[in-house]
Amino acid sequence: MSNKNKAQLREEARQEALARQKKQAQRDKRNRILVFGGLGVAIAALVAVAAFILVNEGAKKNVEDIPLAEVTDVPSTATEGGGIPVGADLVAGTENEGAPVVDEYLDYMCPVCGQFEQINGADVETMLTSGDATVVFHPVSILDRASNGEEYSTRAASAAYWVADRAPEAFFDFNEALFANQPEEGTEGLDNEAIADLAEGAGAPADVAAGIADGTARETFGQYVYSLTNEATANEALVNADGGFGTPTIVVDGERFEGWNQPGALLAAVQGGAPAAEEDSAEEESSEG
């Protein structure tokens, strides 16, 4: 039997109750920290996601769904219908008067466009320098989705138009350099500074290259690329056998040319007048938008 009086027992009970309250308060405080800490992490994550979306949408969508004819910033060397013509001196904005016109729709992220360049690059230069054709280059952006949100196709195409506008004598070599250094699909692609280095290596002045590095080229000609791409995609004359638009698309005097994957075939079609729509060989799969 306990020798403690009632007062002592009451005090012990009170102390035990206080201890339980203190422990419960500590548990409640810890739970609040965990809850609010988790909410803070979640909110921070949501803010980061929202910021990412806004940045990417902002970068991508300083463009509007307007026709190419309504675009205000247009490369000075571009044709009225879009694209950059090149003639015998390999300078943007020139032509070989009276010669057939070869239109080349390309995406700098497109691996099949890289194959086109490997197979036909030397022949394209030959047909230009010999005066046998005018080639109109149409850099488009159907593969932005393939560069992890970095819009490589748009940035590279904008840089090409920037060089065509500011340093037309460097455009042809810059176009070749972009394919010689083509990144793989599914990567972020070259950053602006790397693209600028290629431009300068192709002969563009340092101040022109700087406009690529700091994003001015993208800001200036991103709308042109976007509108040109939309028009190409909607042009029934450019659709492939599957009913879509893909790159590369090659057009000789207004007719699609399907035999470009055979070495020498494009040059022969231009020099010898072979049918532009000739399909005597299997067509390489193109990259579609």
Side-chain angles (χ1 to χ4, degrees):
M1 185 172 178
S2 174
N3 295 323
K4 297 178 181 178
N5 58 34
K6 292 182 179 180
Q8 290 175 320
L9 292 173
R10 282 198 300 270
E11 180 61 21
E12 288 180 357
R14 189 178 71 83
Q15 293 297 330
E16 289 177 4
L18 289 174
R20 287 195 298 271
Q21 289 175 0
K22 184 176 181 181
K23 287 182 180 180
Q24 184 62 48
Q26 289 174 338
R27 283 196 296 269
D28 291 344
K29 181 179 180 181
R30 184 172 60 253
N31 289 339
R32 285 196 299 272
I33 291 173
L34 290 174
V35 169
F36 286 110
L39 285 173
V41 171
I43 291 170
L46 287 172
V47 169
V49 170
F52 176 81
I53 292 171
L54 288 172
V55 167
N56 281 276
E57 288 299 311
K60 186 172 188 174
K61 308 305 178 186
N62 55 10
V63 295
E64 301 177 40
D65 289 322
I66 58 176
L68 188 65
E70 296 180 13
V71 176
T72 55
D73 287 320
V74 176
S76 60
T77 53
T79 67
E80 185 175 344
I84 304 298
V86 175
D89 56 4
L90 303 183
V91 174
T94 64
E95 63 179 34
N96 288 323
E97 189 173 353
V101 175
V102 177
D103 289 278
E104 180 182 334
Y105 291 84
L106 57 97
D107 187 310
Y108 291 115
M109 179 62 90
C110 165
V112 189
C113 295
Q115 293 174 20
F116 173 87
E117 181 66 22
Q118 291 174 358
I119 295 170
N120 299 281
D123 285 350
V124 168
E125 184 169 352
T126 295
M127 70 177 69
L128 288 172
T129 56
S130 65
D132 289 327
T134 295
V135 177
V136 182
F137 296 85
H138 303 261
V140 296
S141 59
I142 63 173
L143 286 177
D144 275 341
R145 66 180 185 275
S147 57
N148 297 332
E150 293 300 316
E151 286 193 299
Y152 179 72
S153 296
T154 291
R155 291 187 295 109
S158 297
Y161 288 118
W162 175 263
V163 170
D165 182 67
R166 263 58 173 193
E169 70 286 348
F171 170 78
F172 185 80
D173 286 344
F174 181 47
N175 175 75
E176 289 190 330
L178 284 168
F179 281 119
N181 296 273
Q182 184 180 49
E184 294 184 2
E185 283 186 288
T187 68
E188 294 179 357
L190 306 178
D191 62 24
N192 287 345
E193 290 188 359
I195 297 173
D197 288 342
L198 293 180
E200 194 163 4
D207 62 331
V208 174
I212 297 171
D214 66 15
T216 303
R218 165 66 179 81
E219 293 172 6
T220 303
F221 292 123
Q223 179 67 64
Y224 185 82
V225 173
Y226 183 78
S227 293
L228 177 63
T229 301
N230 284 347
E231 292 208 357
T233 303
N235 188 341
E236 292 184 0
L238 300 179
V239 299
N240 56 31
D242 297 324
F245 172 77
T247 55
T249 291
I250 309 302
V251 179
V252 179
D253 270 350
E255 295 186 49
R256 281 178 57 91
F257 181 78
E258 307 290 359
W260 62 262
N261 58 336
Q262 296 299 309
L266 178 58
L267 183 62
V270 170
Q271 292 180 332
E278 188 175 65
E279 297 185 19
D280 56 356
S281 61
E283 181 183 1
E284 292 279 353
E285 182 182 356
S286 65
S287 297
E288 294 191 4

